[in-house]
Amino acid sequence: GENVEQHPSTLSVQEGDSAVIKCTYSDSASNYFPWYKQELGKGPQLIIDIRSNVGEKKDQRIAVTLNKTAKHFSLHITETQPEDSAVYFCAANFNTDKLIFGTGTRLQVFP
Amino acid sequence: ETGVTQTPRHLVMGMTNKKSLKCEQHLGHNAMYWYKQSAKKPLELMFVYNFKEQTENNSVPSRFSPECPNSSHLFLHLHTLQPEDSALYLCASSQDPASDEQFFGPGTRLTVL
């Protein structure tokens, strides 16, 4: 079936620490894996994505890793800041016509 | 500014009312989507339109009726809703349905009394 599991559901870290969010997907044919950040009162916004032809991608303090064999991918945020506090969603594509989203991780960064 | 606008931002309706949600994208995208966001299922895909044709209906009850008159506009017509339909309804668009960034609107917060 079409399924994306995401863990943890909540994550609290101290400012400056790293945060890691993990997702697994069910369809071995999936080849596009975006991550979205949703702040209060706003729609989700893409922060980074990765395609199946690479294993890792980095953009400043944010990185994503992909393990196609194990069908899991992870978001890494280093040197966290209070403005990183938000809900983060992973997603994977299915059947070339849609994205299925994970259940979300509420990240809180304490100063 | 994401280029995707939604109106209204808030809507309160009774179970016998008929209302419509509107979404407009100014990004020249070919695909548009409706998602339902609630505490139980955070981002639940409802409908997908690609080049104005519906390509996905994720087992959505018929009390939700989508309409896509052109590639820039998407509507969600609501009638005889139930209280459990109260949620944030998000519209999104992308160039390609499943391999490009989806741009989301701010959502319509719907409350069904």
Side-chain angles (χ1 to χ4, degrees):
Chain A
E2 303 166 349
N3 189 44
V4 176
E5 294 187 3
Q6 182 171 348
H7 300 279
S9 57
T10 60
L11 180 59
S12 296
V13 300
Q14 202 73 31
E15 182 178 0
D17 288 351
S18 295
V20 180
I21 304 170
K22 299 182 179 182
C23 289
T24 59
Y25 58 98
S26 57
D27 188 354
S28 57
S30 296
N31 59 10
Y32 176 62
F33 309 92
W35 285 90
Y36 286 81
K37 175 183 180 183
Q38 186 174 23
E39 298 176 328
L40 199 62
K42 298 182 180 180
Q45 186 171 6
L46 182 78
I47 54 172
I48 195 168
D49 56 13
I50 191 168
R51 300 183 188 273
S52 59
N53 57 341
V54 297
E56 185 174 358
K57 183 176 179 180
K58 190 173 182 180
D59 183 3
Q60 298 182 355
R61 297 187 295 110
I62 295 174
V64 57
T65 58
L66 171 65
N67 182 330
K68 284 218 57 154
T69 303
K71 291 190 286 187
H72 67 68
F73 55 113
S74 301
L75 177 71
H76 305 253
I77 305 175
T78 59
E79 301 172 32
T80 53
Q81 301 167 3
E83 51 265 39
D84 293 330
S85 297
V87 179
Y88 291 82
F89 293 95
C90 63
N93 63 341
F94 286 84
N95 296 335
T96 71
D97 65 354
K98 59 187 173 186
L99 292 178
I100 300 298
F101 285 81
T103 50
T105 296
R106 183 172 298 278
L107 173 66
Q108 283 188 300
V109 180
F110 292 99
Chain B
E1 176 59 51
T2 64
V4 180
T5 58
Q6 289 186 244
T7 55
R9 292 295 308 275
H10 301 271
L11 178 62
V12 180
M13 60 186 290
M15 289 189 284
T16 58
N17 291 158
K18 291 184 180 181
K19 297 287 184 182
S20 295
L21 309 185
K22 179 182 177 181
C23 175
E24 186 172 357
Q25 58 100 356
H26 311 276
L27 302 168
H29 289 162
N30 299 315
M32 296 187 76
Y33 316 80
W34 280 116
Y35 289 89
K36 176 184 178 182
Q37 187 171 39
S38 61
K40 292 185 178 180
K41 294 185 179 181
L43 268 174
E44 185 180 5
L45 180 66
M46 301 176 70
F47 301 103
V48 179
Y49 277 82
N50 192 26
F51 291 98
K52 301 186 298 178
E53 298 296 322
Q54 187 180 127
T55 59
E56 181 74 21
N57 177 335
N58 199 24
S59 302
V60 181
S62 60
R63 57 185 184 269
F64 296 91
S65 175
E67 178 189 1
C68 188
N70 55 63
S71 57
S72 299
H73 293 84
L74 185 65
F75 295 89
L76 188 62
H77 303 299
L78 317 171
H79 63 98
T80 60
L81 294 192
Q82 305 298 312
E84 58 264 30
D85 295 324
S86 299
L88 181 70
Y89 288 84
L90 289 160
C91 174
S93 72
S94 70
Q95 188 62 29
D96 181 272
S99 61
D100 287 311
E101 176 180 1
Q102 292 188 13
F103 291 80
F104 285 82
T108 294
R109 174 68 63 184
L110 173 67
T111 302
V112 182
L113 302 177

